[in-house]
Amino acid sequence: MEIKRVGPGNTQPQGPSDAGEAAGKRFQPAAHEQEAAHAAELPAAGVPEGLTRADLADEKKLNAAVRHCVDQLVRTASEKVDGGLGEDERAHLGEVLQNDPGFRAQVLRYLDQVLK
């Protein structure tokens, strides 16, 4: 009968005999890390094309970007609602949301993160 030692005194390798193969399988990036890397390559959802971080300093461009993001959000959300929202309702909701200080702060934070 062979007694196998456990703990720090155990000098015999355990597991696959090819250490390189085992390390390659153990240290692959997780699926959510791969998805995050792929998502970083895609354009940000709802952000106007060509918008840069420097544009956020200009008040007109900033307001236009917030308006665009809110309109995209309202349009996307209204498509998911049964019956949808009418054009007037979407416009009114977009106006209310872009003038709400809390919601505007969230949109600005999103733009700041996306445009890094």
Side-chain angles (χ1 to χ4, degrees):
M1 173 189 253
E2 184 179 334
I3 299 175
K4 295 184 180 180
R5 302 175 89 183
V6 293
N10 188 4
T11 58
Q12 296 179 351
Q14 295 180 359
S17 60
D18 186 10
E21 180 184 333
K25 288 182 180 177
R26 279 191 306 201
F27 297 110
Q28 291 178 348
H32 69 279
E33 291 174 353
Q34 291 174 344
E35 290 173 5
H38 179 66
E41 298 170 1
L42 299 175
V47 177
E49 185 91 17
L51 185 71
T52 63
R53 184 172 231 159
D55 294 337
L56 297 180
D58 183 13
E59 192 67 29
K60 284 185 178 182
K61 290 182 182 180
L62 178 66
N63 288 335
V66 169
R67 188 176 323 110
H68 179 75
C69 289
V70 170
D71 289 343
Q72 289 287 69
L73 180 65
V74 169
R75 181 173 288 114
T76 304
S78 70
E79 290 171 357
K80 295 179 181 179
V81 175
D82 288 338
L85 295 175
E87 191 63 37
D88 293 337
E89 293 169 325
R90 275 199 303 247
H92 179 70
L93 182 58
E95 185 74 27
V96 168
L97 289 176
Q98 73 187 22
N99 291 327
D100 179 76
F103 192 81
R104 184 178 176 87
Q106 289 287 337
V107 172
L108 292 176
R109 193 172 312 135
Y110 171 73
L111 288 173
D112 188 50
Q113 289 175 353
V114 168
L115 296 175
K116 284 188 178 183

